[in-house]
Amino acid sequence: MTSREVLTAIVKDKRCPERMGLHESFWQDTQREWEKQGLPPAVNILDYFNLDVREIQGSLFRTTSIPVDEQVVDEDEQTVIKVNGWGAKFREWKNRPGVPEHLSFDLVHEDVWKKKYRENLLGLDLRRFPDLEKLKENYRAGMVSDRFCVYYQLIIFEIMRKAMGDLILLEAMYLSPRWIHDFCDVVTNNIILNLEYMIREVGKPDGIWLYEDMGYTKAPFVSPALYQEFIFPYHRRVADFIHSYDLPFIMHSCGKIRPLLPHIVEAGVDGLQALEAKAGQHVVEMAEATGNKIAFMGNLDIRAFESNDPKTLEAEIVPKLAAIQKKRIPYVFFSDHSIPKSVNLETYQYALELHKKYGRY
Amino acid sequence: MEDILKQIALCVEKGKIAREFPHPAELAGQDGVYELTQRALESGIAPQEILSQGLIAGMNKVGELFQAGDVFLPDVLVSARALSMGMMHLKPYFHSGAVKHKGKVVIGTVQGDLHDIGKHVVSLFFEGGGWNVIDIGVNVTAKKFLEAVAEHQPQAIGLSALLTTTMVNMELITRMIKTTHPGVKVVIGGAPVTQSFADRIGADCYSPDPQGALEFLNKHCS
């Protein structure tokens, strides 16, 4: 079976084909580090490791109200300060990954939303697509391959975090519920408008992969009740749209989202990715709780990879794959985090061997 | 007197900021922390009692519920907002010395890490627990921690890290603090941090949640 067939079976049809899917993401400095350890220079790392999924580059359209890329407004030796199309300022590292520091937000009140940001999102604006011709080229190249090709994009909770920051957002759910609903309604419609345009003008991919970060190690950012009130209706709307094209909806979320799982399934998510293990989540328990109505991707504890110890890695991977196989859980082999440079190339290659050996149904 | 203090505590717990705020629905139209604190002061209740039996008691309840997973970050933030309304009325009494903090804590995210949300939430709990929090920001070097300790003379420092690659910087800071200011307690936390890591680097307290860290401060530093 090709990558496309395997992933379609797992994520769209929730079946268990001949093998478990295989995919991974890597921090930007990992490849550079691995080149020192013997990885050929400048290879396409996904092709090199024969991973199943391809994100169609250029499909990340601009979701900010003002459709511009982030602008650097200040910098020092190590960090840059950027402002985004919501007027929010963040400090980021220059040459390494990490969570940015929230410096300031313009969108602090419903009045600002209405005066400065809402209207820009009411119609289709082609400035949201930085390079449509390149996107079409990438789409064609992806679809002639046998990989499972996805459009990828941020979705509602993550967009709100970038627009107003965690503190304002989480408080506003209680103190300005009308604003949050209006924001979610307008932004969701805009996401759908742009996805629809992309499908019409560029083409239909194999799936749509949307990024949310709805949890941290201890808990979801919001209670199941707040999820149900503020996020669920918009996830559901996006899911209905994606399903209207007979495509699967894959959602990424870091952190502990187990308490939200029943609602996420009900919203219509087909594949859930990351499943952070150190947040106390286990793919088998989650699959049992959902009756295989959803495919899972991830949950391989990054700390086992970072140990660079084959025995520790085996102890993490082998029993998990055995249980997944036994319970016939639609599953894609994936760490619960992007692979950092502290994981040796040899360690990752050994993980791939374990997938090859134990990752069959 | 007890009634109004209990009401203040309840309003902090439920996030009832002031009368004009409709949240929470079950207290809509009623006075919130803002009005109740003002009324308590006007009726002659000692500011220290309002702080400890009203505001801190309410926030402590939120901490317990948060620790148990019964409330979530939005609840904590709204409770902290309500508490700050009460603190606004008590500010002159802090200046005059009629109300005292339990002590000082210097808090920061360690070098290499720009993450500030976790630290912010922990600060809210420490402040809500009656501590004077000196937040020295993110990407804080060991040298800057030492300077802050020398300047502010805290009872404890709080170190936060989000990444496995940055939590190692807690070790250097802890070692330097223990060498130069052995009486200052070191409290650490963050997603990758564990008790065994805390034990290895010689930190005095690791807590997976803010309430545990606050309880440590209350027990060992005040």
Side-chain angles (χ1 to χ4, degrees), chain A residues 78-79 91-93 96-103 161 166-167 170-171 173-175 216-224 226 259 278 303 306 337 340 342, chain B residues 15 17 21-23 66-69 72-75 77-78 81 111-117 120-121 138-139 162-166 190-192 194 208-209:
Chain A
Q78 294 184 315
T79 63
R91 187 196 305 273
E92 291 176 2
W93 295 110
R96 58 191 172 93
V99 175
E101 179 185 9
H102 292 187
L103 293 176
R161 296 180 70 197
D166 297 321
L167 302 179
L170 297 176
E171 250 190 22
M173 285 181 158
Y174 279 137
L175 302 181
Y216 60 105
T217 318
K218 273 271 293 176
F221 286 115
V222 300
S223 65
L226 284 179
K278 73 169 178 286
R303 293 171 299 183
E306 284 185 298
H337 190 276
S342 52
Chain B
I17 298 169
F21 286 85
H23 174 79
F66 187 60
Q67 189 175 42
F72 292 78
L73 280 172
D75 307 275
L77 293 172
V78 177
R81 174 78 63 193
Q111 186 174 17
D113 208 324
L114 296 174
H115 185 249
D116 51 0
I117 307 301
H120 181 83
V121 172
V138 299
N139 190 27
L162 180 71
L163 306 169
T164 49
T165 48
T166 57
T194 60
D209 53 67

Side-chain angles (χ1 to χ4, degrees), chain B residues 12 24 86 109 126 130 139 144 155 160 176 184 192-193 196 205 211:
Chain B
V12 170
T109 303
F126 286 179
N139 190 27
K144 195 171 166 191
Q155 282 73 33
S160 164
M176 289 175 79
V184 174
V193 181
S196 62
C205 169
Q211 186 67 9

Side-chain angles (χ1 to χ4, degrees), chain B residues 84-160:
Chain B
S84 72
M85 287 291 115
M87 287 293 197
M88 211 168 68
H89 290 302
L90 296 187
K91 211 171 177 181
Y93 300 95
F94 277 109
H95 287 152
S96 71
V99 179
K100 287 188 170 56
H101 287 110
K102 289 178 181 169
K104 274 188 205 167
V105 193
V106 165
I107 191 166
T109 303
V110 299
Q111 186 174 17
D113 208 324
L114 296 174
H115 185 249
D116 51 0
I117 307 301
K119 169 176 65 65
H120 181 83
V121 172
V122 172
S123 296
L124 292 178
F125 275 104
F126 286 179
E127 281 166 356
W131 288 81
N132 183 7
V133 178
I134 293 125
D135 185 343
I136 57 172
V138 299
N139 190 27
V140 180
T141 60
K143 185 170 174 275
K144 195 171 166 191
F145 265 107
L146 280 179
E147 287 168 358
V149 168
E151 182 187 347
H152 299 287
Q153 302 288 314
Q155 282 73 33
I157 62 166
L159 310 179
S160 164

Side-chain angles (χ1 to χ4, degrees), chain B residues 19-42:
Chain B
R19 174 176 276 271
E20 70 186 84
F21 286 85
H23 174 79
E26 70 264 28
L27 297 178
Q30 296 182 30
D31 284 346
V33 175
Y34 180 80
E35 293 85 5
L36 291 168
T37 306
Q38 192 170 28
R39 206 187 315 147
L41 285 167
E42 285 165 2

Side-chain angles (χ1 to χ4, degrees), chain A residues 50-100:
Chain A
N50 209 18
L51 305 182
D52 285 325
V53 182
R54 292 296 175 275
E55 290 181 337
I56 298 169
Q57 297 302 308
S59 63
L60 191 68
F61 53 82
R62 294 166 174 142
T63 53
T64 49
S65 167
I66 301 163
V68 291
D69 292 333
E70 293 175 335
Q71 308 287 313
V72 174
V73 292
D74 201 1
E75 62 183 308
D76 59 25
E77 270 183 25
Q78 294 184 315
T79 63
V80 288
I81 295 178
K82 292 179 176 173
V83 63
N84 67 21
W86 298 104
K89 265 189 195 171
F90 299 87
R91 187 196 305 273
E92 291 176 2
W93 295 110
K94 267 184 180 166
N95 296 313
R96 58 191 172 93
V99 175

